[in-house]
Amino acid sequence: MDRTQKAAVIDEVAQQIQEAEAIYAVDYRGASVPQAAELRARLREADATFRVVKNTLTERAADKAGAEGLKAYLDGPTALTFVRGDAAAAAKALSDFRRASGLLEFKGGWMNSEPLSPEQMDAIARLPTREVLYGRLVGMVASPLTGLASALNGLIGGLARQLSQIAEQGLVGGDAPAPAAEAPAAEEAPPAEEAAPEEPAAEAAPAEDSPPAEGDTDSQTETEKE
């Protein structure tokens, strides 16, 4: 590789360092070509790139990108994983491959302009992936809405049942029963019979021969004497 090619590689690696959300350094010794291809395929799903570059060139790229802390992990055979997508998903892919193959010793990494220890890489690999976190967030947001919708449905259903019962009782709508008849008023007393017209008082019957007054007695006596 001539100087021009080396300069191009340094520029390219420096750009990858600057654009990466995280960088993981691993010892790749013992990994076969098919295994490396399989790992690269897993990492692409997390929008990450697995790359092996000479340590001297990577050190110069780290200096150019302002990631001097990454140089501490460039000792011995080292492969770098440049993560542009989900840092947890990429770390999990590396961890799963290491567990299945017994290869890929974690050396450390670089994230948010700070170095990462191998223990921190393991911790990141145990984090939920971005998709899982999104799913949990959606569930948290949807749960109160679901409860609210359920409560509203219950309220509307209860109101509908009450209205139905009211309608059945005829308290609303055109089928309302006629109001209860008022108690019949006390029967009016029949009009008093008209008083029979008073009959004219009977003429006084002539009194029976009443004894004549004393004066009349004398006159009658005198008459009889004549």
Side-chain angles (χ1 to χ4, degrees), residues 143-169:
S143 180
L145 296 179
T146 303
L148 177 60
S150 178
L152 289 176
N153 287 336
L155 178 61
I156 294 172
L159 179 59
R161 286 192 297 272
Q162 292 180 0
L163 290 175
S164 176
Q165 292 174 359
I166 292 173
E168 289 176 358
Q169 295 174 6

Side-chain angles (χ1 to χ4, degrees), residues 26-98:
V26 298
D27 186 338
Y28 67 91
R29 283 179 294 187
S32 64
V33 174
Q35 287 176 323
E38 178 186 352
L39 178 58
R40 285 189 173 92
R42 293 186 184 183
L43 290 171
R44 277 196 295 270
E45 295 177 0
D47 195 10
T49 303
F50 188 78
R51 184 167 186 176
V52 178
V53 181
K54 286 185 177 182
N55 290 341
T56 54
L57 298 180
T58 305
E59 288 176 355
R60 293 173 63 181
D63 289 334
K64 186 172 184 177
E68 292 82 0
L70 187 61
K71 295 163 59 176
Y73 310 117
L74 302 177
D75 182 20
T78 304
L80 297 181
T81 299
F82 300 97
V83 184
R84 294 178 297 276
D86 190 342
K92 182 174 177 59
L94 292 172
S95 180
D96 290 345
F97 182 86
R98 181 183 61 175

Side-chain angles (χ1 to χ4, degrees), residues 202-216:
E203 295 181 0
E208 297 180 355
D209 293 341
S210 56
E214 292 182 354
D216 294 339

